[in-house]
């Protein structure tokens, strides 16, 4: 089946630093999504990307849909302590198996004040 | 507007017991899914539904049943619980264009 490779697995950074993480796939997707999960909670949608090449921002977060449709990245600028959590990428192809949202294994972010 | 509501939040089962994890959404979403989350494995799709009366298997369906009699509800049934089913279970719903809303999860331990 389809698999997403998300990297890095974990990051330890200083408050104020920028963060970059990415996801690659062996096959193409119509949609790329980025989620954040806080401890004890479900994932929360941060950014959704629907077109190859699309660059979308949500506050300090910026994500891009790769032009090959097989990759995506997420950048966080000027990190703050509340950015701590696990970030997941997810790929989706609507029109086929509509419920088939495939997740990466996550990037665990730790921020040192 | 409560979003996606999962019950119970915590459950301990003995091996061989059966139970149903409840999921309800009030956003009139057609698409609903069940995932399990295990350490280092990310979220894996168990079953999903594209509308009332329609369900299909995901990546890890064995040992689980689902039904979708209404748009709002999508229960997940464990037929005979096994220790390998110890996990955190998430229900999610969507209009179908990708942005899924997740519940807060059910933490299940099978002893």
């Amino acid at each position: 089946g389809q698999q997403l490779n998300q990297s890095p697995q974990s990051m330890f950074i200083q408050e104020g630093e920028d963060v970059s993480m990415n996801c690659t796939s062996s096959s193409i997707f119509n949609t790329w999504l980025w989620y954040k999960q806080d401890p004890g909670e479900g994932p929360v949608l941060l950014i959704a990307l629907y077109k190859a090449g699309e660059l979308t921002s949500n506050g300090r977060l910026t994500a891009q849909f790769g032009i090959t449709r097989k990759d995506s990245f997420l950048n966080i600028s000027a990190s703050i302590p509340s950015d701590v959590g696990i970030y997941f990428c997810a790929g989706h192809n609507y029109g086929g198996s509509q419920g088939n949202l495939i997740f990466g294994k996550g990037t665990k972010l730790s921020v040192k004040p | 507007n409560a979003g996606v509501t999962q019950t119970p939040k915590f459950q301990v089962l003995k091996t061989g017991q059966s139970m149903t994890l409840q999921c309800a959404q009030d956003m009139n979403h057609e698409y609903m899914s069940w995932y399990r989350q295990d350490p280092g494995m990310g979220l894996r799709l168990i079953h999903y539904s594209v509308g009332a009366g329609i369900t299909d298997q995901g990546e890890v369906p064995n040992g689980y049943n689902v039904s979708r009699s209404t748009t709002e509800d999508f229960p997940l049934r464990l037929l005979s619980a096994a220790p390998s089913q110890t996990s955190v279970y998430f229900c999610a719903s969507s209009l179908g264009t990708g942005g899924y809303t997740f519940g807060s999860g059910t933490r299940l331990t099978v002893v």
Side-chain angles (χ1 to χ4, degrees), chain A residues 31 33 35 37 39-45 48 50 86 88 92 94 96-106, chain B residues 31-33 35 37 40-43 45 48-50 56 58-59 90 96-105 107:
Chain A
T31 302
L33 306 164
Y35 285 85
Q37 186 178 28
E41 298 294 330
V44 174
L45 183 65
Y50 299 106
I86 303 177
F88 291 98
H92 188 230
Y94 52 91
S97 298
Q98 300 272 7
N100 209 4
L101 190 62
I102 307 296
F103 281 85
K105 294 185 178 179
Chain B
Y31 301 99
M32 296 186 74
S33 302
Y35 292 85
Q37 185 175 31
M41 298 294 289
L43 291 113
L45 183 66
Y48 64 97
S49 169
V50 299
D56 207 346
E59 180 185 357
F90 288 101
T97 55
Y100 276 76
T101 300
F102 282 79
S104 57
R107 283 144 190 82

Side-chain angles (χ1 to χ4, degrees), chain A residues 75-92:
Chain A
N75 284 346
I76 305 173
S77 62
S79 59
I80 59 178
S82 62
D83 290 335
V84 165
I86 303 177
Y87 292 79
F88 291 98
C89 62
H92 188 230

Side-chain angles (χ1 to χ4, degrees), chain A:
Chain A
Q2 293 174 310
Q3 290 196 355
L4 295 186
N5 295 310
Q6 186 173 350
S7 64
Q9 284 188 327
S10 61
M11 303 181 74
F12 295 86
I13 62 169
Q14 198 77 31
E15 182 178 358
E17 288 183 353
D18 296 343
V19 172
S20 184
M21 58 191 79
N22 68 81
C23 238
T24 59
S25 169
S26 57
S27 53
I28 63 174
F29 287 109
N30 291 331
T31 302
W32 280 95
L33 306 164
W34 285 92
Y35 285 85
K36 183 192 177 197
Q37 186 178 28
D38 291 325
E41 298 294 330
V44 174
L45 183 65
L46 298 174
I47 293 179
L49 303 157
Y50 299 106
K51 288 171 57 175
E54 180 180 354
L55 185 72
T56 297
S57 293
N58 178 6
R60 294 178 295 106
L61 277 61
T62 301
Q64 185 157 26
F65 192 142
I67 57 173
T68 66
R69 297 168 64 191
K70 291 184 178 181
D71 61 336
S72 179
F73 73 75
L74 175 71
N75 284 346
I76 305 173
S77 62
S79 59
I80 59 178
S82 62
D83 290 335
V84 165
I86 303 177
Y87 292 79
F88 291 98
C89 62
H92 188 230
N93 284 323
Y94 52 91
S97 298
Q98 300 272 7
N100 209 4
L101 190 62
I102 307 296
F103 281 85
K105 294 185 178 179
T107 295
K108 185 174 182 180
L109 179 64
S110 302
V111 179
K112 192 187 307 183

Side-chain angles (χ1 to χ4, degrees), chain B residues 44-106:
Chain B
R44 293 182 292 170
L45 183 66
I46 305 172
H47 285 285
Y48 64 97
S49 169
V50 299
I54 306 169
T55 64
D56 207 346
Q57 296 181 349
E59 180 185 357
V60 289
N62 292 339
Y64 308 95
N65 272 357
V66 291
S67 60
R68 185 95 180 271
S69 56
T70 67
T71 298
E72 295 78 19
D73 300 298
F74 191 43
L76 177 73
R77 280 180 283 277
L78 279 71
L79 309 172
S80 177
S84 61
Q85 293 178 305
T86 294
S87 188
V88 182
Y89 291 85
F90 288 101
C91 178
S93 71
S94 168
L95 284 171
T97 55
Y100 276 76
T101 300
F102 282 79
S104 57
T106 294

Side-chain angles (χ1 to χ4, degrees), chain B residues 6 8-15 17-21 34 36-38 46 63-64 76-90 105-111:
Chain B
Q6 289 185 239
K9 290 191 179 301
F10 301 94
Q11 183 70 49
V12 179
L13 289 179
K14 292 183 179 178
T15 297
Q17 284 185 315
S18 62
M19 79 157 294
T20 299
L21 278 63
W34 276 101
R36 60 177 288 173
Q37 185 175 31
D38 303 295
I46 305 172
Y64 308 95
L76 177 73
R77 280 180 283 277
L78 279 71
L79 309 172
S80 177
S84 61
Q85 293 178 305
T86 294
S87 188
V88 182
Y89 291 85
F90 288 101
T106 294
R107 283 144 190 82
L108 177 68
T109 302
V110 183
V111 298

